[in-house]
């Protein structure tokens, strides 16, 4: 939902290429989604016969990131505001 909302808002204001515009408009959400992808991969790579403490930390990190994203989603749902787009770099 967060990604769909961000993409819709960026496309609505026509901020240029999608990925750079998303990073400019919503850097926190993009970072959290990338970090969650990394922690999920680490957890899956250590699923069987892996390093247990590393898998445990990756799982806890994933839960923390999901909670942060849910909080961000609830803030957006309560007070939707269009992104403040900085001018593109030349």
């Amino acid at each position: 939902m967060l990604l769909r909302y961000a993409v819709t808002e960026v496309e609505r204001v026509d901020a240029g290429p999608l990925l750079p515009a998303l990073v400019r408009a919503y850097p926190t959400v993009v970072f959290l989604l990338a970090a969650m992808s990394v922690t999920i991969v680490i957890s899956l790579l250590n699923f069987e016969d892996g390093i247990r403490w590393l898998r445990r930390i990756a799982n806890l990190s994933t839960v923390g990131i999901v909670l942060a994203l849910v909080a961000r989603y609830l803030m957006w749902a309560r007070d939707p505001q269009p992104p403040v787009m900085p001018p593109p770099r030349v």
Side-chain angles (χ1 to χ4, degrees), residues 15-89:
L18 183 62
L19 191 57
L22 279 174
V23 172
R24 277 195 317 271
Y26 302 105
T28 305
V29 172
V30 171
F31 173 76
L32 288 174
L33 288 173
M36 186 172 64
S37 299
V38 169
T39 59
I40 289 171
V41 168
I42 290 172
S43 179
L44 290 175
L45 288 175
N46 289 290
F47 191 70
E48 287 195 23
D49 299 330
I51 304 169
R52 293 188 64 164
W53 64 268
L54 183 60
R55 185 180 70 222
R56 187 176 298 132
I57 290 172
N59 287 340
L60 290 174
S61 299
T62 302
V63 170
I65 292 169
V66 167
L67 290 175
L69 288 171
V70 167
R72 173 71 68 163
Y73 173 74
L74 291 175
M75 287 189 310
W76 278 354
R78 178 177 290 170
D79 185 27
Q81 296 177 357
V84 178
M85 300 295 294
R89 295 181 187 173

